[in-house]
Amino acid sequence: MVTTAPLATETTESHPPRPGKPAGKRVRRTPVQSLIPGAGGKGFWLYLVPGLLLLTIIVLVPLGWNFFLTFTKYRGIKPPVWIGLDNWTKLFGDDVFWTSFGNSIAMIVAMVVVPTLLGLVLAAMLFDLVGKKFGGKIASFLRATYYLPQILPTVIAAIVIGWILRPENGALNQVLGAIGLSGLEHNWLGSPDTAMACIMVIMIWVQLGYPIVIFMAALQRVDPELYEAAELDGANWFQRFRAITVGIIRPEIFVVTLTCTIAALKVFGPIYALTRGGPGTSTMVPSYYSYSEFFQNQQVGYGATIATALTVVVAVVAIIFITFQTRLERQDEER
């Protein structure tokens, strides 16, 4: 038989009677914190030690070493040679670097703007229209269908997409030829005019399921009576969507926008698997540029500089998003 210690102990002590009241015993309760070793003091910090240790080893130490390498010339073999700010000076005058950040803007459009807006509309339609007319199972099935690209391995998806867009015998060109549009056949990923557009379309397809899942989960906490009252007042679907849906799930919109923006800034897998930053620099992004300097050109110091600059940009973007969200929440509370 297993017994457990009580959360608090009770002791009694005699005390003199108050005027007009009979004598009795006063119950003194022992706080729960006194029964737990270290509770209420510094002992709880011991539970944070494993996490802090892993954070230091896995994140902080490599981050500090990477920052140190930005001031060195290092090829990965001989010891680093201190060169001061030469890498940073080179970075700000590097056309490829600025081109890669320009391509990151295109990635933000493809991975943040379009999926968030389209996902918000689709989630509202699945929840408010499809779910009511055809049942929750149909809406859940469609939601899972949209989310499927998110769980596909990047390499597998790239192989399939590369086969579809292959210039010689790719599925897309063969379909165009079969329907009499052979004049539109093209080297989709091998041409600077279409490579980035193809990557953007692919990333919209991959990213769309994520906001749909988040927004449909957020819609579960919307009071259905709000929709019913608005519908009785004559509001159409778009008016209900704008006045009720967007306002209530705004915190989730911020979360999706922030996480997708960070993912867009550091996107690497699709670029590596499909174009390797080419043709030329038409699909070059900062993360792949840093990788190429690290491992292909063996310019470890310069690659670390690119990675550090990207880290700073991601941190600044996150701070701006969080500050803006906090300010809006305070305004809502004041109202």
Side-chain angles (χ1 to χ4, degrees):
M1 180 177 180
V2 180
T3 59
T4 58
L7 293 180
T9 60
E10 295 182 356
T11 59
T12 60
E13 58 179 6
S14 299
H15 61 89
R18 296 180 182 178
K21 292 187 178 182
K25 293 185 177 181
R26 182 173 57 193
V27 177
R28 184 175 63 190
R29 294 185 179 274
T30 303
V32 176
Q33 287 83 354
S34 65
L35 302 177
I36 303 176
K42 298 180 179 180
F44 276 126
W45 285 99
L46 295 175
Y47 296 97
L48 301 178
V49 170
L52 292 174
L53 186 62
L54 290 174
L55 176 67
T56 302
I57 296 174
I58 297 175
V59 177
L60 297 182
V61 171
L63 183 63
W65 175 248
N66 186 83
F67 182 70
F68 166 74
L69 290 178
T70 63
F71 303 102
T72 66
K73 183 177 181 180
Y74 183 43
R75 299 184 64 87
I77 301 175
K78 296 181 179 180
V81 178
W82 184 269
I83 58 173
L85 297 175
D86 289 356
N87 284 327
W88 290 98
T89 304
K90 177 182 176 181
L91 182 73
F92 288 112
D94 188 354
D95 292 337
V96 178
F97 173 75
W98 293 112
T99 299
S100 68
F101 261 101
N103 291 335
S104 292
I105 303 300
M107 288 292 99
I108 291 175
V109 173
M111 297 179 64
V112 183
V113 178
V114 176
T116 301
L117 295 177
L118 190 57
L120 186 60
V121 174
L122 289 175
M125 292 179 64
L126 290 175
F127 182 82
D128 194 24
L129 296 179
V130 177
K132 290 181 179 180
K133 291 185 178 181
F134 303 99
K137 292 184 178 180
I138 299 297
S140 299
F141 172 77
L142 293 175
R143 177 182 59 188
T145 303
Y146 283 118
Y147 192 74
L148 181 62
Q150 283 279 318
I151 63 177
L152 289 177
T154 302
V155 176
I156 301 301
I159 291 174
V160 175
I161 293 170
W163 171 75
I164 294 173
L165 300 178
R166 192 178 302 170
E168 297 85 6
N169 55 354
L172 179 57
N173 283 340
Q174 289 189 354
V175 170
L176 291 175
I179 61 177
L181 298 176
S182 57
L184 297 178
E185 295 180 11
H186 194 68
N187 185 1
W188 301 101
L189 294 176
S191 173
D193 298 332
T194 56
M196 179 53 72
C198 291
I199 295 294
M200 291 177 68
V201 172
I202 293 167
M203 296 314 300
I204 292 172
W205 170 71
V206 170
Q207 200 70 17
L208 183 60
Y210 171 66
I212 289 178
V213 170
I214 298 297
F215 293 151
M216 287 193 70
L219 288 170
Q220 300 294 330
R221 60 184 175 83
V222 179
D223 189 355
E225 294 181 358
L226 295 175
Y227 289 117
E228 295 175 1
E231 192 171 358
L232 290 175
D233 290 338
N236 56 32
W237 179 86
F238 181 75
Q239 291 172 332
R240 298 196 304 270
F241 168 76
R242 183 183 60 184
I244 299 175
T245 303
V246 175
I248 292 179
I249 69 172
R250 189 171 62 187
E252 284 78 8
I253 295 175
F254 271 105
V255 170
V256 169
T257 305
L258 175 59
T259 53
C260 290
T261 301
I262 294 174
L265 288 172
K266 62 186 186 68
V267 64
F268 174 80
I271 302 297
Y272 174 81
L274 288 171
T275 63
R276 304 293 177 94
T281 59
S282 59
T283 60
M284 183 69 72
V285 292
S287 59
Y288 185 80
Y289 188 32
S290 175
Y291 164 83
S292 64
E293 291 296 316
F294 259 103
F295 298 104
Q296 296 176 357
N297 299 332
Q298 294 183 341
Q299 299 293 332
V300 178
Y302 189 57
T305 306
I306 300 170
T308 303
L310 179 60
T311 302
V312 171
V313 171
V314 170
V316 170
V317 169
I319 292 172
I320 292 173
F321 267 90
I322 294 173
T323 303
F324 185 64
Q325 181 182 7
T326 304
R327 186 175 301 174
L328 287 179
E329 290 175 353
R330 289 178 180 175
Q331 292 177 355
D332 291 340
E333 291 176 359
E334 292 175 356
R335 293 174 185 173

